[in-house]
Amino acid sequence: VVTKWHSNGAVAETGQYVEGRRSGDWLGYFRDGEAYFREFYNDNRLVQGAAVDERGKRYVYDELSRYAYPEKGMEAFNTYVTREIRRPEGSAGTRIRLLFQVGRKGDLWDFVVLEGGSPACEQEALRLVREGPPWRQGLEHGHIPVPSQGYAIIQF
């Protein structure tokens, strides 16, 4: 069992690791001892969480909330790509997979091509993501913006 503490001596978080991985219920508390979040982990994967912010607003979330995502959804992002893509000659069937960082204000940086093709296809994929619809950063405990990784596949 692990216990983390606030600087005032109050418990901040408790939970357990099994073979080095989060497991079971993890509970978090505000500095005043009030309940903040409850998260359930299975083999280090956040299955479900619920949190209440300082104003009493409730958030329900899972592992996916931690990842960056197009603000209007992946379907809208894919519609944009289909509409705006410029296909270099010989690009049919090429798939470009990109990984990148998304900041708290939706800024994008540190692009990595995980699966590539021709330089022209890679540049077009990068252009589409950089110039495309805004991305929402990841959220900790369902509501706290945190820099996180974005992932996109551009199919030519």
Side-chain angles (χ1 to χ4, degrees), residues 4 35 37 72 116 120 141:
K4 297 179 183 178
F37 67 84
K72 294 183 179 179
H141 305 304

Side-chain angles (χ1 to χ4, degrees), residues 67-78 100 102-108 129 132-139 145:
Y67 300 105
Y69 203 77
E71 284 184 5
K72 294 183 179 179
M74 195 55 79
E75 185 175 336
F77 176 79
N78 289 333
F100 48 94
V102 180
R104 289 188 176 142
K105 296 180 181 178
D107 46 321
L108 309 177
V129 174
W135 285 67
R136 178 208 62 134
Q137 69 287 341
L139 300 172

Side-chain angles (χ1 to χ4, degrees), residues 5 8 12 16 19 28 43 67 76-77 80 83-84 86-88 98 102 106 109 112 115 124 134 136-137 143 149:
W5 306 90
N8 67 356
Q16 71 175 0
E19 296 181 7
D43 197 27
Y67 300 105
F77 176 79
Y80 152 79
R83 186 182 66 243
E84 299 296 328
R86 301 175 193 150
R87 291 176 169 45
L98 300 174
V102 180
W109 76 94
V112 176
E115 179 182 346
E124 176 60 4
R136 178 208 62 134
Q137 69 287 341
H143 68 104
Q149 290 185 329

Side-chain angles (χ1 to χ4, degrees), residues 2 18 34 53 59 64 77 79 81 106 113 125 129 135 142:
V2 173
V18 174
E34 291 293 317
D53 67 16
Y59 301 88
L64 293 177
F77 176 79
T79 298
V81 168
V113 177
V129 174
W135 285 67

Side-chain angles (χ1 to χ4, degrees), residues 34-102:
E34 291 293 317
Y36 171 35
F37 67 84
R38 181 180 191 137
E39 297 175 341
F40 179 77
Y41 288 84
N42 182 11
D43 197 27
N44 213 43
R45 184 178 154 267
L46 175 61
V47 176
Q48 184 175 8
V52 178
D53 67 16
E54 293 87 0
R55 296 184 201 110
K57 185 172 180 184
R58 183 175 159 84
Y59 301 88
V60 176
Y61 51 96
D62 62 16
E63 184 80 16
L64 293 177
S65 72
R66 293 180 171 174
Y67 300 105
Y69 203 77
E71 284 184 5
K72 294 183 179 179
M74 195 55 79
E75 185 175 336
F77 176 79
N78 289 333
T79 298
Y80 152 79
V81 168
T82 300
R83 186 182 66 243
E84 299 296 328
I85 195 167
R86 301 175 193 150
R87 291 176 169 45
E89 189 173 321
S91 65
T94 300
R95 179 173 75 170
I96 308 294
R97 292 185 318 131
L98 300 174
L99 187 68
F100 48 94
Q101 299 297 314
V102 180

